[in-house]
Amino acid sequence: MKVKQAIRKIIILGGGTAGWMAAAALANNPVFAAIELCLVESDNIGTIGVGEGSTPHLKRFMDNLGISEKDWMELCHASYKTGIDFINWNGDGQQYFHPFYFQMDVKPAEVFFINANARRRGHGNAVKPDAFFSSGVLAKRNLSPRPNKALPCTNEYGYHFDATELANYLKDYACKRGVRQIIADVVEVSTTQHQQIETLILANGERLSADFFIDASGFSAKLIHKALGVPFQSFADELLNDSAVTVPVPALMDSTQTQQAKYHTRATALSAGWLWQIPLTHRLGNGYVYSSRHLSANAAAKELLHSINLPESTQVRFLKMRVGVSDKAWHNNVLAIGLAQSFIEPLEATSIMMTQFTLERFMSLFERYQLNKQAETLSRQTLNQAVMQLVLGIKDYIQAHYVTSQRSEAYWVAARKVAISQRLTQLLKAWYQGEDFDLLLYQYDQQLAYFRPSWYALLAGMDYRDPKLKRPFEPISAEITAQAISYCQTLVEQYFQPKHS
């Protein structure tokens, strides 16, 4: 079988977090050592910059680059993230915490699962995840997830950060390792008769050629959609939020709480969406993610400012979001990443995780991809299937936040009535009717983006159940429940509580 011609040059179109993540990852990978890497970005296009939170996966990405937290966090105004506090999602003033789960939580988490199953089958009071996970206790006490002494296992946490500064940090990292940066506007893209990208034509007339291209051009998707015509699947009728209005405030100006959250994200439900509050070291990021079909931009700005006690004259920033996924992330000689590939609204901070997942899968397939035509096709199919599966899994979980809400505003009523997948329909039905939810989680294991602790945190936290249901179930004793809660508190005091607090 004929061996393919080796790839000698890769061009990344677009900077921002996604583009520079790609540049840094490839520059650090010995598989790409002999390949010329070039990134083209415009200084006339600003970054979206709203994704200031991460999942725990980002730590692995930075570790793989050999970057320590002390090297990047201060420069990016970063703080640690233990999870997300969901506030008033049922319109009753209640809240619950979606924690990051790690090995030390196994025993108390099991007690939470049993109590949650008892509740949904008609036994016992509402039970929330907050007290049964170490990160929930950390959030309640406003403590960092970085331990004061060595843990017997690896703990899980994410970050909050300034997305622009993170992109700048990764830019410096990549350029020091040989990535060439070109600041220019791409005005035209030429393709071959076989629908391969051939050259990027710059505003000054210069033509840039490469063997392979990575499309990190954001929502414009200049290569994957505009040049190659790969279809885009919109989720606009399944996830209603398509807009955001944002306003940062200095860290000491947070007037919404007596004690500002330092180590977790807040997600507060509002009339036509939800408000994020993300604590960085120098500012509190605030943003209202909403549906423009249910609220005007001016009304959204007014509601945002009122919610955080700022005057209506405060300057805000408006953003539009394209929610959906490319039919293919990898088509011919183009790999789409970041917003050019997919975007599920920022509720669970999954955008950077998707970029990281795509890059890691691409790098693992790259050597095989170069072997021959058959391996090339198989590599693309493998990545595209994996990306689509993860995107749809994320969509299921995000939709579950809305379709389980009991809020009565027109937006929330509409959000409950959207089309959902057969998989999500079965999961919600099993939970609501007191059936074997864990069996379904097991059956769908390979298709789910989120696993047992997250699903239980959401559905028990929302107290999603049939209030008339009474099915046989033996609840766990109050004594064991108290012991589980005490266990988490003791862990936090032993490993995370400051010595002189």
Side-chain angles (χ1 to χ4, degrees):
M1 194 172 289
K2 187 178 180 181
V3 177
K4 286 181 59 187
Q5 183 177 352
I7 290 176
R8 298 183 299 272
K9 182 177 180 180
I10 295 175
I11 289 179
I12 302 164
L13 176 59
T17 309
W20 287 112
M21 281 180 72
L26 269 58
N28 183 60
N29 190 324
V31 171
F32 297 84
I35 298 174
E36 180 184 352
L37 301 174
C38 176
L39 186 145
V40 181
E41 64 178 338
S42 171
D43 58 3
N44 295 318
I45 302 174
T47 59
I48 295 294
V50 299
E52 295 179 328
S54 84
T55 68
H57 293 276
L58 183 60
K59 184 178 188 302
R60 186 182 74 232
F61 182 83
M62 302 302 273
D63 287 346
N64 287 342
L65 294 181
I67 299 172
S68 67
E69 289 177 346
K70 65 181 178 62
D71 288 335
W72 76 270
M73 287 187 68
E74 183 176 358
L75 292 174
C76 299
H77 308 292
S79 65
Y80 293 106
K81 175 182 174 182
T82 55
I84 305 172
D85 204 13
F86 287 88
I87 302 167
N88 206 26
W89 278 68
N90 273 327
D92 55 4
Q94 297 295 308
Q95 62 193 79
Y96 73 91
F97 193 72
H98 180 191
F100 292 136
Y101 174 76
F102 62 106
Q103 192 176 346
M104 287 168 60
D105 293 327
V106 170
K107 291 182 179 179
E110 195 61 41
V111 175
F112 165 64
F113 299 150
I114 294 172
N115 277 311
N117 281 320
R119 171 67 171 175
R120 69 188 180 91
R121 287 171 174 148
H123 305 277
N125 298 321
V127 58
K128 297 182 181 177
D130 310 43
F132 296 91
F133 295 85
S134 303
S135 59
V137 179
L138 289 170
K140 186 73 70 176
R141 299 189 182 187
N142 232 356
L143 295 175
S144 167
R146 289 287 294 173
N148 292 320
K149 62 179 181 180
L151 287 166
C153 61
T154 302
N155 59 333
E156 295 284 331
Y157 55 82
Y159 305 100
H160 307 110
F161 50 87
D162 184 315
T164 300
E165 293 303 328
L166 179 61
N168 288 336
Y169 185 93
L170 293 173
K171 178 196 301 183
D172 291 341
Y173 177 97
C175 290
K176 287 176 182 176
R177 286 158 179 78
V179 176
R180 179 189 174 200
Q181 179 195 21
I182 297 176
I183 299 176
D185 291 321
V186 174
V187 295
E188 190 178 342
V189 178
S190 70
T191 59
T192 69
Q193 62 179 346
H194 301 295
Q195 280 295 289
Q196 303 267 348
I197 300 293
E198 187 172 38
T199 58
L200 307 182
I201 303 168
L202 308 183
N204 63 4
E206 184 180 355
R207 302 173 72 92
L208 300 177
S209 300
D211 307 298
F212 196 91
F213 296 82
I214 295 178
D215 189 350
S217 61
F219 288 139
S220 65
K222 289 184 177 179
L223 303 183
I224 197 73
H225 296 319
K226 290 183 177 176
L228 295 186
V230 173
F232 176 77
Q233 293 184 34
S234 173
F235 296 155
D237 292 331
E238 300 162 273
L239 291 165
L240 303 183
N241 296 338
D242 60 0
S243 304
V245 53
T246 71
V247 59
V249 297
L252 296 178
M253 282 183 59
D254 176 23
S255 56
T256 61
Q257 300 284 339
T258 54
Q259 184 182 34
Q260 179 177 305
K262 293 181 180 179
Y263 303 111
H264 63 273
T265 301
R266 287 197 185 105
T268 305
L270 298 179
S271 70
W274 59 277
L275 162 69
W276 81 67
Q277 292 183 285
I278 296 179
L280 278 67
T281 57
H282 69 312
R283 72 168 187 245
L284 182 71
N286 303 284
Y288 184 6
V289 181
Y290 65 96
S291 164
S292 64
R293 283 168 280 185
H294 296 85
L295 197 66
S296 70
N298 287 337
K302 184 176 180 179
E303 187 175 0
L304 166 65
L305 295 172
H306 175 75
S307 298
I308 57 176
N309 297 325
L310 290 178
E312 291 184 20
S313 59
T314 304
Q315 186 173 0
V316 298
R317 182 184 177 201
F318 295 99
L319 302 168
K320 295 296 291 183
M321 302 183 298
R322 184 190 68 161
V323 179
V325 62
S326 175
D327 272 0
K328 298 176 182 177
W330 186 353
H331 183 60
N332 293 344
N333 66 336
V334 171
L335 174 71
I337 60 172
L339 303 180
Q341 175 214 97
S342 62
F343 184 67
I344 306 293
E345 66 150 276
L347 185 59
E348 290 281 352
T350 56
S351 184
I352 286 176
M353 181 185 77
M354 277 303 312
T355 297
Q356 179 180 342
F357 175 85
T358 305
L359 289 170
E360 289 174 351
R361 187 57 59 96
F362 171 70
M363 291 188 294
S364 72
L365 293 167
F366 186 74
E367 285 185 294
R368 184 174 73 178
Y369 163 76
Q370 295 196 96
L371 291 176
N372 53 56
K373 202 70 177 175
Q374 182 179 352
E376 173 187 326
T377 301
L378 183 59
S379 297
R380 284 198 296 258
Q381 290 174 344
T382 300
L383 183 139
N384 287 334
Q385 181 180 1
V387 166
M388 185 63 74
Q389 180 171 287
L390 182 56
V391 168
L392 295 180
I394 292 171
K395 178 165 74 77
D396 277 351
Y397 189 71
I398 298 300
Q399 282 186 302
H401 292 76
Y402 297 99
V403 299
T404 59
S405 173
Q406 298 174 39
R407 291 183 68 106
S408 59
E409 297 95 331
Y411 161 83
W412 290 92
V413 172
R416 275 198 296 277
K417 295 179 179 178
V418 299
I420 60 176
S421 69
Q422 180 181 359
R423 177 175 59 224
L424 180 56
T425 299
Q426 292 177 339
L427 286 167
L428 294 180
K429 175 178 174 288
W431 181 277
Y432 191 80
Q433 296 185 356
E435 297 169 358
D436 194 340
F437 184 72
D438 291 317
L439 176 61
L440 271 181
L441 288 181
Y442 176 78
Q443 290 173 346
Y444 283 126
D445 179 67
Q446 297 301 314
Q447 301 174 38
L448 298 175
Y450 289 83
F451 303 110
R452 193 185 187 201
S454 293
W455 282 103
Y456 270 81
L458 192 167
L459 297 174
M462 295 293 285
D463 200 21
Y464 182 67
R465 65 192 180 92
D466 181 351
K468 297 188 282 297
L469 191 66
K470 291 289 182 183
R471 296 191 66 171
F473 192 83
E474 175 123 8
I476 205 161
S477 72
E479 181 182 358
I480 293 177
T481 297
Q483 288 174 356
I485 293 172
S486 176
Y487 174 84
C488 281
Q489 293 172 345
T490 301
L491 281 178
V492 166
E493 290 164 3
Q494 182 177 358
Y495 291 102
F496 300 93
Q497 192 81 36
K499 293 179 181 179
H500 304 290
S501 60

